[in-house]
Amino acid sequence: MPYFDHNATTPLAPVARAAWLKAADDLWHNPSSPTRAGARARLHLETCREKLALVLGGKKEDYLFTSGATEAARALFSHLAATLPPDRPVAINPTEHPCVLEAAGAAFPGRLLLLPLSPEGIVTPDAVASAFAAGAAAVAVMAANNETGVLQPWPEIAALCHQARLPFLCDASQWLGKLPGGGLGNAGWVFASAHKFGGPKGVGFLKIPPEGTDRFTIQPGGTQENGRRGGTEDLPSIAACCAALVEAEQKYVFLESDRLRWREAFERDLLTACPGASVIAASADRLWNTVSFCPSREENTRWVARLDQLGFQVSTGSACATGQPGPSHVLAALRLDPLAARRVIRISSGWETSEADWHALRDAFLATHARFATESPVSPVITP
Ligand code: PLP
């Protein structure tokens, strides 16, 4: 069954599954044990860390394994709140994932400076420079948006923050495994979740900057992760996370242009056949896998249910926001009309998605569109 909700989570990659099983079978000892078996597990853990540094850049010691992006975001904003000047704001992209927005809000109550966006949802380097002028003490901008796929100019923003000697925080959860990760390891505070790129759920990592982080800890309670995160490491999941990332980097990320062509053809076909429909942030550089499609009629929940019946899994938006009332904060930040926002459907493919899958999804969309039109020739009025 074609799966088009990869931005929510991806299926476990075979290479990740194999790495998980091998570590669970052969390296189950505690990496902190003073035995030779413990040392073997420890060595494997350090090899995994080394893999991250090779793919993303930076020193291996600065990579910490976490349970995912949410934990990393929470820990690093708490750290910044404890170490940055108490009166200065933190500049943040308003389309960040809720795990970043809520961690930032909790750590810096009343001190968040929302960065202005271009009409497509992009934070420009000029917007960052104006945040510096307004006294921002740190900047948080994600690499790629989970709802619209919009790519942010993170290399330029990281360079500006570096020049200004201010912390830059980058949620790379949707970028990694889809686009080359080189350079992210030197961007500042960077974090991601393995299940977005073919790894298991409940594991991810945080790259900390090489300087000024002596006091940074995620949780006390042990000497693991250089004393920064107490608790016995989940070596099988860590091994699977790194195997998935390395495979994506070595085998897949170069196939981006083909995949982009398939997504663009899908968008063109839908826009031609469905008058009044639109693609959110259509003219921005976006992830090759993501379409945020706004049809001219029916709430997105109806579309998702109908497409599911036809065998296609798409989404109403970010998985964590599903079930929450009101339009997504991302679409609100893009100033999309709230009624239109309730129609928006997120479609996100994966490396295993074929061109034929895109064609089949297009046909299912067109069939659903035609069926809605026969069921009620006049589009129902959605009340806010
Ligand atoms: N950041 C982005 C951009 C995401 O898409 C997600 C997951 O939806 C997260 C962070 C949170 O990841 P996790 O739930 O694995 O911590």
Side-chain angles (χ1 to χ4, degrees):
M1 176 186 289
Y3 175 68
F4 281 93
D5 198 13
H6 287 76
N7 288 5
T9 196
T10 56
L12 191 64
V15 72
R17 183 172 182 274
W20 193 98
L21 289 172
K22 189 164 170 29
D25 284 345
D26 302 346
L27 296 164
W28 53 266
H29 291 84
N30 192 323
S32 301
S33 290
T35 58
R36 280 178 299 161
R40 272 198 298 279
R42 198 155 58 245
L43 190 63
H44 197 62
L45 181 66
E46 293 316 310
T47 307
C48 290
R49 221 184 292 286
E50 181 82 46
K51 283 183 186 167
L52 291 182
L54 284 173
V55 168
L56 304 177
K59 287 197 307 191
K60 96 173 171 55
E61 295 72 25
D62 295 333
Y63 284 88
L64 308 178
F65 291 107
T66 66
S67 67
T70 305
E71 173 188 318
R74 182 81 189 179
L76 73 87
F77 276 107
S78 304
H79 169 76
L80 292 181
T83 50
L84 291 178
D87 50 342
R88 295 198 24 212
V90 163
I92 192 163
N93 159 33
T95 67
E96 293 293 301
H97 188 273
C99 79
V100 172
L101 285 174
E102 288 178 27
F108 291 88
R111 284 200 286 147
L112 291 188
L113 192 64
L114 292 181
L115 286 158
L117 298 174
S118 76
E120 308 286 359
I122 294 167
V123 175
T124 61
D126 282 351
V128 174
S130 57
F132 291 165
V139 175
V141 180
M142 69 204 320
N145 187 270
N146 46 304
E147 291 190 32
T148 61
V150 164
L151 306 180
Q152 297 291 354
W154 62 263
E156 288 85 349
I157 298 174
L160 280 176
C161 291
H162 191 71
Q163 268 166 22
R165 301 188 142 272
L166 293 179
F168 173 55
L169 284 53
C170 187
D171 176 358
S173 299
Q174 295 291 348
W175 179 288
L176 282 177
K178 299 188 184 95
L179 293 173
L184 271 166
N186 293 310
W189 299 81
V190 175
F191 51 96
S193 264
H195 70 104
K196 306 291 185 183
F197 53 77
K201 292 159 189 60
V203 62
F205 63 86
L206 166 64
K207 165 71 174 66
I208 62 175
E211 282 160 20
T213 50
D214 294 350
R215 288 169 52 199
F216 177 71
T217 50
I218 295 178
Q219 61 190 22
T223 55
Q224 292 90 350
E225 302 295 290
N226 270 335
R228 296 188 191 272
R229 184 178 189 265
T232 305
E233 300 89 347
D234 179 355
L235 185 54
S237 295
I238 289 170
C241 162
C242 295
L245 184 62
V246 168
E247 181 180 61
E249 286 284 338
Q250 291 180 345
K251 229 168 116 182
Y252 295 129
V253 293
F254 308 103
L255 304 176
E256 184 215 346
S257 56
D258 267 352
R259 305 305 161 105
L260 188 58
R261 226 169 7 85
W262 299 349
R263 191 210 75 197
E264 285 172 348
F266 171 84
E267 291 178 353
R268 251 193 327 270
D269 290 351
L270 246 56
L271 292 176
T272 310
C274 309
S278 60
V279 169
I280 308 299
S283 59
D285 278 344
R286 285 175 286 131
L287 290 170
W288 54 265
N289 80 321
T290 308
V291 184
S292 183
F293 179 67
C294 184
S296 60
R297 55 176 304 139
E298 310 297 333
E299 284 207 30
N300 50 17
T301 47
R302 287 199 74 201
W303 280 93
V304 171
R306 281 288 168 90
L307 289 164
D308 199 12
Q309 282 162 6
L310 294 176
F312 296 87
Q313 298 167 59
V314 299
S315 169
T316 52
S318 102
C320 57
T322 305
Q324 283 183 11
S328 96
H329 70 283
V330 173
L331 300 177
L334 297 184
R335 298 181 194 283
L336 189 69
D337 165 57
L339 296 184
R342 287 173 59 175
R343 299 195 299 269
V344 172
I345 302 157
R346 180 182 71 183
I347 300 141
S348 51
S349 64
W351 291 116
E352 79 281 6
T353 311
S354 65
E355 190 174 15
D357 291 335
W358 278 108
H359 290 164
L361 180 67
R362 173 202 59 199
D363 294 345
F365 257 92
L366 300 188
T368 305
H369 188 261
R371 201 164 148 197
F372 284 147
T374 34
E375 280 172 6
S376 55
V378 178
S379 180
V381 176
I382 305 171
T383 43

